[in-house]
Every structure is written in C-alpha cells, then in structure tokens.
Amino acid sequence: MAETSNPLSRPLPDGIVPAEVVARTEKRWIILMATMLLVMLAIIVVTGIASAMHPPSNVEVIDPATLHLNGEFVESNLGAAVEPDGSVTVRFIAEQYNFVPHCVQVPVDTPVKFRLTSADVVHGFLLPDTNVNTMVVPGFVAEVRTRFDDLGEKAMPCHEFCGLGHHAMWAHVHVVPKERFANLTPLQRTSCESH
Ligand SMILES: [Cu+2]
C-alpha cells in the first residue's frame, strides 16, 4: 500500500537511492545552478556595457580633516564647473546630514563627472534612473561619470545610514537645457533658486 508516486515513500531496493537516480538528480541541479550563474554573469556584463554600471573603481585618497582648508573640495570649488572640453565636473561634500551644495544644475546631454567626498562618516550618493550609485567614504574621493538624457529634477538621497538625521539627508540635481546652463554664472549653477 505504499504510495509510489510520492518520492519520499518510494520503495528503495537496497535501502538506498539507486545510483542512476542520484546521478540524474545531481545533473539537474548542476544544470540549474550553472544556468543561474550564467544569467547573473550576463546581467553583470550587459548592465556594465549598456548602462555603465560597475563597482566603484576610483581609488583616490584625501584628508577628510582639511577638506575645508585647501585642495579640490574648498567651498569655492564645490558645485558644477565647466571643463575645457565642454564636459561638466560636479563636486559635492557629504556630511552629517547634508550635501554641500544642496542643489546643482547640470546641462542635458553632456558628459558629467561627479566627484564627492565625506567630511565625517560613510554616506551614499544615488541618482534614481541613472548609473549613479556609490558610497562616499571619508578619506576617499568617489567619482562617477554619467550623462543625462532628460530634463528635470532628480532627487539625490543619501542611501547609506549615517546617523539619526540620515532620513533628511537629500540634495537635488536639476538637469537644464544646454543654452540655459551656458548662461548661468558659477554661483547660479550651484544653487537652484529661480532667477
Ligand atoms: Cu545618510
């Protein structure tokens, strides 16, 4: 009266599962696992090529204690700057519980390089619907390159828990038409007040 369709109550001839059954089951699992690995590998390669998604690779050190005194991240150097080749470099400092500056304007359809560092603890830098997503670690400069295809405002939340005020740590990036960006003064690029 054994229920033969249930594998758990199937009669076992020698008290063990037959070798060919073990081999067949193991082969199925190997195929399943290999398929999962190949799918994950394909996702990494495709997003790496198509969306420039990759682990942060810019290892550049900086002294977090003197950011405000000298070097690239002094206050007057923060925000969006136009490079000689027409691309734009944006510099932010992340600190509990703010990004400085709080809003930056960037031109659409232009290569934009973000450079960020932290003055205190680990923060996160994320722009939704773009390839921009990195940690901002004190002592290091995080660098991400992107290009914006659409106009509009992007919220920029800190996505690494950094303390009690973390939930309120936001900044904004405004993607504006190229002509409008060209007419902004350096100070106007680094704020989003309407003019
Ligand atoms: Cu945070």
Side-chain angles (χ1 to χ4, degrees), residues 41-133:
L41 191 66
I43 289 172
I44 292 171
V45 172
V46 169
T47 54
I49 294 170
S51 315
M53 292 277 204
H54 55 80
S57 56
N58 189 51
V59 179
E60 195 180 328
V61 291
I62 191 165
D63 180 2
T66 58
L67 292 180
H68 59 301
L69 297 177
N70 50 52
E72 184 184 342
F73 290 89
V74 290
E75 190 172 356
S76 57
N77 212 28
L78 298 177
V82 182
E83 301 295 342
D85 65 359
S87 68
V88 171
T89 302
V90 180
R91 295 181 180 87
F92 280 105
I93 288 182
E95 57 187 15
Q96 288 170 318
Y97 298 104
N98 254 319
F99 290 97
V100 184
H102 197 60
C103 189
V104 161
Q105 308 205 37
V106 295
V108 72
D109 204 20
T110 304
V112 179
K113 180 167 76 183
F114 288 94
R115 286 174 61 77
L116 284 88
T117 192
S118 166
D120 39 45
V121 300
V122 174
H123 297 281
F125 171 45
L126 169 80
L127 290 174
D129 303 324
T130 70
N131 64 318
V132 176
N133 182 349

Side-chain angles (χ1 to χ4, degrees), residues 97 122-124 158-163 165-167 169:
Y97 298 104
V122 174
H123 297 281
C158 172
H159 67 313
E160 291 284 342
F161 181 76
C162 54
H166 167 67
H167 62 282
M169 184 167 169

